[in-house]
Amino acid sequence: MLVTWKYRPRNTFIQRLDPRTRWIFLFSIILALTIPEIWDYRIVFPLFVLSLTLFFMARIEWKDVRRAFIYIFILVFFIVGLNALFFGRGGPSSVLDPSSPVLFFGVTVSKAWFAITQVTRMLTMALLAIPIPYTMDPNIYGTAFKRMGVSDKVSFTIDLAFRFLPTFARDLTITVDAQRARGYEVEKLKGGLVARIQRLAPLIIPVVMQSTVTGEEVIDAMDLRAFGTAPRSWLKELRYAARDYFMIALGVAIFITCCVLKWGFGIGGFFVPEFFTRLVT
Amino acid sequence: MNDKSTWEFGTRQVVYGAIGAALYGVFSWATNILFPLPAAGNVTFRPAVAVLIFFAVAYGPWVGLLAGFIGNMIGDGLSGWGFYWNWSLGNGLMGMIPGLIVATISDFRARSTILKAVGWGTLGIIVGMLFASLTEMFVGGIDLNTALVGYFTPAFLGNLVVTVILLPILMIAFAGVAARRGR
C-alpha cells in the first residue's frame, strides 16, 4: 500500500503560477459568483469557459480525475440538478414564475433553465478546485499559507501534517500486515454495519495510539529547539512573477465587475433567455 | 471551560494538530480507496471522524479545529477531489466543538467522560456539518431542503454512527497509553 500524492510536476502555465495566486484566483471566482448572487448565463457561461480552459491548461490526464468527476457529477447532476429541475428551489424567486410554460411533470421552462445555470455555476467552481491536489506541490502549502498572512504556528501545523503523512501511512501498512498475519481479513469485513465498523478498530487503534507517543517525542524535540519563542524563517521562498500579477488582477477584476454589474446596473440576476424558450416550447 | 488550558496554543497543540490532520487524511483516504465501507444512499461512513473527535477531546479545540480543517484538505487531496473551503471549515468546527471539554476530562476510561465526549462529539458533528451544508446554499445556490436532506442528514448520520462506535474504544485505549506514559 502506497499513499501517493496526486501531484506530479508538469511544465504548464498553471503549475508555474505562485500557489498564492491559485488560491486568490479560486476565491475571487467563488466570491464573484456568490456575493452578488450571479445567475445570469451571460456571466456564468463565460466564467465556466474560463474555468474549463484553465482546467485543460493544467493538462491532467482523465484517468487521474475520473473518480473525482464521477463523484462531482453525481452530486451536481442528481442531487442538485434534478432538485432544481423539478422544484426550482435554491435560486431567486423568479425561477418559480407561474407564467412560465410547463414542459412536463411540473417542470417549467424557467426551472429547466435554472437547473442548467445552476449546474454550470457549480461546475465553474469545481473545475478550479479539482486541479489543486494534482498541480500544487504539497511541500509548499505551509509556505503559501504563511505568505498569505497565516500565523507561523498554523502554517507550521500544515507543513508538519504533510510531513507526518508518509509515516502514518507506513504505520497503517505495517498494522494491516501484522493483523493479516493474525488472520484478520481486511478485504472481507463481514457482518452488519456496526460490526464492520467495530472490526476496523484493530487497524485504527494501534496507529492512533502510536501517533500519540510519537507526538510527545516531537514536542520534546521542538521545545528543546525553542519552538515558538521567535518568528520562524521558511526554507522555500515564493516570488510573484508577471503572470501571477496578471491572474490576480484578472480574478479581482472579475469579482469587481460582477459586483458593479449586479449592484450598479442590475445585471446578473436570473432570467430565461428568449432562444431557450423558443428552443424547448 | 474557557480557562487557559482549553485555549492554549503552544507546541503541543501544533504537533497534535498536525498528527490529527495527517491521521484524518490517511484514514479518510484509506476508507475511500482501500477498504470502503458500505454506503446507504449518499450516506458514507468515515471512521476518520471518530479519530478527529478523539484528538479534539484529548488535546483541545485548537487541535480539533486544525486537524479537521487540514485533515479534510489532505483527505480530499489524497482522494483527488479538490479543495472545498466550506467543507474543510465544517470539519474544523466538527473537531473544535468537542475540544471545549478538554479541561474537564481527567479519566478517559470513566463512563461519564465517555458519554460526555460522545455527546459533545455529536454536537460538533451537528454544528460542523450544518455549517458546511448551509454554506452550500450560498456557494452552490442550493435550497434549504437540499442542504438539509441531501447534504446535512447523510453527513450527520454517517459521522454519528462511527463516532458512537469508535470514540469509546479510542478513549479506553488512550487511557491505558496515557497511564503508562505518565503525562
Side-chain angles (χ1 to χ4, degrees), chain B residues 21-35:
Chain B
L23 288 173
Y24 191 56
V26 167
F27 287 128
S28 296
W29 168 81
T31 45
N32 281 339
I33 309 289
L34 202 63
F35 30 86

PDB file of all heavy atoms in Angstrom, chain B residues 21-35:
ATOM      1  N   ALA B  21      -4.405  15.861  11.880  1.00  0.00           N
ATOM      2  CA  ALA B  21      -4.712  16.145  10.471  1.00  0.00           C
ATOM      3  C   ALA B  21      -4.185  15.034   9.573  1.00  0.00           C
ATOM      4  O   ALA B  21      -4.883  14.570   8.663  1.00  0.00           O
ATOM      5  CB  ALA B  21      -4.099  17.483  10.067  1.00  0.00           C
ATOM      6  N   ALA B  22      -2.946  14.610   9.833  1.00  0.00           N
ATOM      7  CA  ALA B  22      -2.359  13.551   8.999  1.00  0.00           C
ATOM      8  C   ALA B  22      -3.160  12.251   9.140  1.00  0.00           C
ATOM      9  O   ALA B  22      -3.452  11.574   8.148  1.00  0.00           O
ATOM     10  CB  ALA B  22      -0.901  13.331   9.391  1.00  0.00           C
ATOM     11  N   LEU B  23      -3.541  11.920  10.377  1.00  0.00           N
ATOM     12  CA  LEU B  23      -4.330  10.685  10.587  1.00  0.00           C
ATOM     13  C   LEU B  23      -5.707  10.798   9.938  1.00  0.00           C
ATOM     14  O   LEU B  23      -6.203   9.843   9.327  1.00  0.00           O
ATOM     15  CB  LEU B  23      -4.485  10.407  12.086  1.00  0.00           C
ATOM     16  CG  LEU B  23      -3.233   9.919  12.814  1.00  0.00           C
ATOM     17  CD1 LEU B  23      -3.496   9.842  14.314  1.00  0.00           C
ATOM     18  CD2 LEU B  23      -2.795   8.556  12.306  1.00  0.00           C
ATOM     19  N   TYR B  24      -6.316  11.955  10.090  1.00  0.00           N
ATOM     20  CA  TYR B  24      -7.638  12.176   9.483  1.00  0.00           C
ATOM     21  C   TYR B  24      -7.547  11.989   7.967  1.00  0.00           C
ATOM     22  O   TYR B  24      -8.401  11.353   7.341  1.00  0.00           O
ATOM     23  CB  TYR B  24      -8.123  13.587   9.830  1.00  0.00           C
ATOM     24  CG  TYR B  24      -9.573  13.871   9.500  1.00  0.00           C
ATOM     25  CD1 TYR B  24     -10.584  13.076  10.000  1.00  0.00           C
ATOM     26  CD2 TYR B  24      -9.929  14.945   8.698  1.00  0.00           C
ATOM     27  CE1 TYR B  24     -11.911  13.336   9.701  1.00  0.00           C
ATOM     28  CE2 TYR B  24     -11.250  15.212   8.397  1.00  0.00           C
ATOM     29  CZ  TYR B  24     -12.242  14.405   8.907  1.00  0.00           C
ATOM     30  OH  TYR B  24     -13.556  14.661   8.601  1.00  0.00           O
ATOM     31  N   GLY B  25      -6.474  12.547   7.402  1.00  0.00           N
ATOM     32  CA  GLY B  25      -6.267  12.418   5.960  1.00  0.00           C
ATOM     33  C   GLY B  25      -6.028  10.979   5.542  1.00  0.00           C
ATOM     34  O   GLY B  25      -6.639  10.482   4.599  1.00  0.00           O
ATOM     35  N   VAL B  26      -5.147  10.300   6.283  1.00  0.00           N
ATOM     36  CA  VAL B  26      -4.804   8.904   5.927  1.00  0.00           C
ATOM     37  C   VAL B  26      -6.021   7.989   6.055  1.00  0.00           C
ATOM     38  O   VAL B  26      -6.319   7.189   5.153  1.00  0.00           O
ATOM     39  CB  VAL B  26      -3.649   8.382   6.821  1.00  0.00           C
ATOM     40  CG1 VAL B  26      -3.505   6.867   6.701  1.00  0.00           C
ATOM     41  CG2 VAL B  26      -2.343   9.040   6.433  1.00  0.00           C
ATOM     42  N   PHE B  27      -6.746   8.109   7.160  1.00  0.00           N
ATOM     43  CA  PHE B  27      -7.909   7.214   7.354  1.00  0.00           C
ATOM     44  C   PHE B  27      -9.048   7.556   6.387  1.00  0.00           C
ATOM     45  O   PHE B  27      -9.763   6.653   5.946  1.00  0.00           O
ATOM     46  CB  PHE B  27      -8.399   7.264   8.803  1.00  0.00           C
ATOM     47  CG  PHE B  27      -7.485   6.557   9.762  1.00  0.00           C
ATOM     48  CD1 PHE B  27      -7.020   7.178  10.895  1.00  0.00           C
ATOM     49  CD2 PHE B  27      -7.088   5.253   9.520  1.00  0.00           C
ATOM     50  CE1 PHE B  27      -6.165   6.531  11.778  1.00  0.00           C
ATOM     51  CE2 PHE B  27      -6.223   4.590  10.394  1.00  0.00           C
ATOM     52  CZ  PHE B  27      -5.764   5.238  11.523  1.00  0.00           C
ATOM     53  N   SER B  28      -9.217   8.844   6.082  1.00  0.00           N
ATOM     54  CA  SER B  28     -10.241   9.217   5.093  1.00  0.00           C
ATOM     55  C   SER B  28      -9.912   8.579   3.748  1.00  0.00           C
ATOM     56  O   SER B  28     -10.763   8.004   3.077  1.00  0.00           O
ATOM     57  CB  SER B  28     -10.303  10.730   4.893  1.00  0.00           C
ATOM     58  OG  SER B  28     -10.707  11.350   6.060  1.00  0.00           O
ATOM     59  N   TRP B  29      -8.633   8.699   3.388  1.00  0.00           N
ATOM     60  CA  TRP B  29      -8.188   8.129   2.119  1.00  0.00           C
ATOM     61  C   TRP B  29      -8.352   6.602   2.142  1.00  0.00           C
ATOM     62  O   TRP B  29      -8.834   6.009   1.171  1.00  0.00           O
ATOM     63  CB  TRP B  29      -6.725   8.512   1.892  1.00  0.00           C
ATOM     64  CG  TRP B  29      -6.084   7.758   0.772  1.00  0.00           C
ATOM     65  CD1 TRP B  29      -6.187   8.038  -0.552  1.00  0.00           C
ATOM     66  CD2 TRP B  29      -5.257   6.607   0.882  1.00  0.00           C
ATOM     67  NE1 TRP B  29      -5.473   7.124  -1.272  1.00  0.00           N
ATOM     68  CE2 TRP B  29      -4.886   6.239  -0.431  1.00  0.00           C
ATOM     69  CE3 TRP B  29      -4.780   5.848   1.947  1.00  0.00           C
ATOM     70  CZ2 TRP B  29      -4.077   5.145  -0.700  1.00  0.00           C
ATOM     71  CZ3 TRP B  29      -3.977   4.761   1.685  1.00  0.00           C
ATOM     72  CH2 TRP B  29      -3.627   4.417   0.379  1.00  0.00           C
ATOM     73  N   ALA B  30      -7.941   5.987   3.273  1.00  0.00           N
ATOM     74  CA  ALA B  30      -7.994   4.520   3.361  1.00  0.00           C
ATOM     75  C   ALA B  30      -9.421   4.004   3.206  1.00  0.00           C
ATOM     76  O   ALA B  30      -9.659   3.007   2.510  1.00  0.00           O
ATOM     77  CB  ALA B  30      -7.392   4.051   4.688  1.00  0.00           C
ATOM     78  N   THR B  31     -10.360   4.669   3.853  1.00  0.00           N
ATOM     79  CA  THR B  31     -11.746   4.168   3.762  1.00  0.00           C
ATOM     80  C   THR B  31     -12.426   4.617   2.466  1.00  0.00           C
ATOM     81  O   THR B  31     -13.455   4.071   2.105  1.00  0.00           O
ATOM     82  CB  THR B  31     -12.590   4.603   4.986  1.00  0.00           C
ATOM     83  OG1 THR B  31     -12.355   5.966   5.249  1.00  0.00           O
ATOM     84  CG2 THR B  31     -12.266   3.775   6.182  1.00  0.00           C
ATOM     85  N   ASN B  32     -11.851   5.604   1.780  1.00  0.00           N
ATOM     86  CA  ASN B  32     -12.378   5.965   0.460  1.00  0.00           C
ATOM     87  C   ASN B  32     -11.901   4.976  -0.591  1.00  0.00           C
ATOM     88  O   ASN B  32     -12.650   4.589  -1.491  1.00  0.00           O
ATOM     89  CB  ASN B  32     -11.888   7.361   0.031  1.00  0.00           C
ATOM     90  CG  ASN B  32     -12.671   8.467   0.703  1.00  0.00           C
ATOM     91  OD1 ASN B  32     -13.772   8.254   1.162  1.00  0.00           O
ATOM     92  ND2 ASN B  32     -12.095   9.643   0.764  1.00  0.00           N
ATOM     93  N   ILE B  33     -10.642   4.615  -0.491  1.00  0.00           N
ATOM     94  CA  ILE B  33      -9.993   3.877  -1.572  1.00  0.00           C
ATOM     95  C   ILE B  33      -9.730   2.418  -1.202  1.00  0.00           C
ATOM     96  O   ILE B  33     -10.018   1.498  -1.957  1.00  0.00           O
ATOM     97  CB  ILE B  33      -8.636   4.536  -1.939  1.00  0.00           C
ATOM     98  CG1 ILE B  33      -8.815   6.036  -2.185  1.00  0.00           C
ATOM     99  CG2 ILE B  33      -7.968   3.843  -3.120  1.00  0.00           C
ATOM    100  CD1 ILE B  33      -9.537   6.428  -3.451  1.00  0.00           C
ATOM    101  N   LEU B  34      -9.174   2.207   0.001  1.00  0.00           N
ATOM    102  CA  LEU B  34      -8.602   0.901   0.341  1.00  0.00           C
ATOM    103  C   LEU B  34      -9.640  -0.118   0.794  1.00  0.00           C
ATOM    104  O   LEU B  34      -9.753  -1.218   0.235  1.00  0.00           O
ATOM    105  CB  LEU B  34      -7.555   1.121   1.433  1.00  0.00           C
ATOM    106  CG  LEU B  34      -6.494   0.057   1.579  1.00  0.00           C
ATOM    107  CD1 LEU B  34      -5.652  -0.021   0.317  1.00  0.00           C
ATOM    108  CD2 LEU B  34      -5.620   0.355   2.785  1.00  0.00           C
ATOM    109  N   PHE B  35     -10.365   0.215   1.845  1.00  0.00           N
ATOM    110  CA  PHE B  35     -11.416  -0.714   2.287  1.00  0.00           C
ATOM    111  C   PHE B  35     -12.704   0.070   2.502  1.00  0.00           C
ATOM    112  O   PHE B  35     -13.088   0.356   3.638  1.00  0.00           O
ATOM    113  CB  PHE B  35     -11.036  -1.518   3.541  1.00  0.00           C
ATOM    114  CG  PHE B  35     -10.106  -0.835   4.495  1.00  0.00           C
ATOM    115  CD1 PHE B  35     -10.591   0.021   5.468  1.00  0.00           C
ATOM    116  CD2 PHE B  35      -8.743  -1.038   4.422  1.00  0.00           C
ATOM    117  CE1 PHE B  35      -9.735   0.646   6.357  1.00  0.00           C
ATOM    118  CE2 PHE B  35      -7.880  -0.402   5.297  1.00  0.00           C
ATOM    119  CZ  PHE B  35      -8.380   0.427   6.259  1.00  0.00           C
TER     120      PHE B  35
END
